[in-house]
Amino acid sequence: AQAVLYPSTYLIARQFYPELKDTTYRTFREICPKELIVEDRIADMLMRIKGVGGKISTILFRPLEDPDKLRSLNLGGFFIDEASQVSEEAFMLLQGRLRDSGGLRKGICISNPNGHDWQYRWFFKQDHFKVAEEKKKYFLIKGTSLENTFLPADYISTMLNSWSDQRIQREVMGSFDTFEGAIYDEFRRDVHVVEPYTIPDTWTRLIGQDHGFRNFAASVFGAVDEDGDIVIFDELYLKETLIEDICKRIATKIGTHKISGMYIDPST
């Protein structure tokens, strides 16, 4: 619809070329009204369609395995299929290509959730934005497979009766809090996350630490209540950061809190 109403150059992308060609491109050719297609260059993965006012929109189909190849594009919009397979760097690069004023300059991503990845940070948690107004530019529409009325009658029941609970939560129910390899795979946001409240000074405060450099270094700050339950009230998540700088950041987080102990991964 964007390409028809706002003629410009648009990109439809997916991480890998075979899936882009055999699935995304093929599906687009099937659903795009034939009367709109002016040119369809299969070898070049390029299509031109009619827009309003007699103008033409160019639609490029490109993989994102090497996103640097797309730096020269001027786009009016982009669409990423299966965005969970795509890197945050590729997503941000395409953001930087939204500079053709003829289009709406909007990007659309569709995907199954894949844990607390870049999609979770940009569209759900949104705590990295420097300006609150910027959050309003990113909108999340979340749905479950149960709401899809176009699926075969036995499609959902087959998955519900054969898949693991974690896979069902992620790929059927659309949960960001479930992903393969999670140590605590029973985590549920509606159960384990509460509204902020003031933690009593009498509760014992602890820090859990898992060091990393290429992989993230993680610190979690917890408080233990009278029943022995631990409430995680803060976190630190840093990549490619020197130990000296990590310690400074931890000290800033601690502030005036009295820390009774720090626990670190023995492999450190």
Side-chain angles (χ1 to χ4, degrees), residues 207 221 236 244-257 259 262:
I207 299 176
F221 300 75
L236 190 62
E244 178 182 1
D245 295 321
I246 293 174
C247 291
K248 290 178 181 178
R249 292 286 296 276
I250 291 176
T252 300
K253 286 276 190 181
I254 291 175
T256 59
H257 293 304
I259 304 298
M262 294 182 68

Side-chain angles (χ1 to χ4, degrees), residues 199-206 222-225 233 258-261:
I199 297 175
D201 293 334
T202 55
W203 289 12
T204 302
R205 285 166 168 75
L206 306 168
V224 186
D225 68 12
F233 63 87
K258 181 181 178 181
I259 304 298
S260 297

Side-chain angles (χ1 to χ4, degrees), residues 153-169:
D154 62 344
Y155 180 79
I156 297 296
S157 62
T158 297
M159 294 187 293
L160 294 178
N161 293 323
S162 60
W163 285 4
S164 67
D165 291 341
Q166 291 78 22
R167 193 180 184 97
I168 290 171
Q169 286 299 315

Side-chain angles (χ1 to χ4, degrees), residues 224-254:
V224 186
D225 68 12
E226 295 85 354
D227 297 321
D229 295 324
I230 301 176
V231 176
I232 302 301
F233 63 87
D234 208 344
E235 65 180 358
L236 190 62
Y237 203 50
L238 300 170
K239 186 177 183 180
E240 297 182 353
T241 304
L242 297 177
I243 293 177
E244 178 182 1
D245 295 321
I246 293 174
C247 291
K248 290 178 181 178
R249 292 286 296 276
I250 291 176
T252 300
K253 286 276 190 181
I254 291 175

Side-chain angles (χ1 to χ4, degrees), residues 8-26:
S8 180
T9 299
Y10 293 88
L11 177 74
I12 295 179
R14 192 164 177 169
Q15 177 67 5
F16 302 111
Y17 177 81
E19 290 86 349
L20 175 69
K21 180 181 179 182
D22 297 337
T23 303
T24 308
Y25 180 52
R26 178 177 295 179

Side-chain angles (χ1 to χ4, degrees), residues 68-228:
D68 280 344
K69 293 181 178 179
L70 307 176
R71 286 188 177 276
S72 61
L73 295 178
N74 294 312
L75 300 176
F78 67 80
F79 173 87
I80 301 178
D81 194 7
E82 294 296 344
S84 62
Q85 300 175 349
V86 172
S87 69
E88 182 177 19
E89 180 62 30
F91 169 71
M92 294 175 67
L93 186 144
L94 293 185
Q95 279 187 307
R97 302 303 94 202
L98 292 175
R99 52 190 185 182
D100 187 341
S101 58
L104 284 179
R105 298 173 51 243
K106 299 291 184 182
I108 299 174
C109 303
I110 64 168
S111 177
N112 287 318
N114 190 32
H116 292 183
D117 62 357
W118 65 266
Q119 295 182 96
Y120 171 82
R121 295 196 307 274
W122 284 82
F123 297 97
F124 190 91
K125 192 173 184 182
Q126 296 190 315
D127 63 349
H128 69 289
F129 290 109
K130 299 176 182 178
V131 181
E133 284 295 313
E134 194 69 18
K135 295 181 182 181
K136 298 178 181 179
K137 298 180 181 179
Y138 299 85
F139 184 70
L140 175 67
I141 300 175
K142 184 178 177 181
T144 72
S145 297
L146 304 178
E147 301 171 71
N148 190 339
T149 59
F150 297 97
L151 297 174
D154 62 344
Y155 180 79
I156 297 296
S157 62
T158 297
M159 294 187 293
L160 294 178
N161 293 323
S162 60
W163 285 4
S164 67
D165 291 341
Q166 291 78 22
R167 193 180 184 97
I168 290 171
Q169 286 299 315
R170 184 178 72 249
E171 299 197 21
V172 178
M173 307 308 295
S175 172
F176 280 104
D177 293 326
T178 308
F179 51 95
E180 296 297 333
I183 296 175
Y184 300 107
D185 54 18
E186 72 273 19
F187 178 82
R188 285 174 49 192
R189 179 165 296 276
D190 60 328
V191 174
H192 301 106
V193 178
V194 299
E195 292 295 326
Y197 62 90
T198 301
I199 297 175
D201 293 334
T202 55
W203 289 12
T204 302
R205 285 166 168 75
L206 306 168
I207 299 176
Q209 176 74 32
D210 183 16
H211 183 61
F213 186 77
R214 289 186 178 88
N215 295 321
F216 283 92
S219 304
V220 291
F221 300 75
V224 186
D225 68 12
E226 295 85 354
D227 297 321

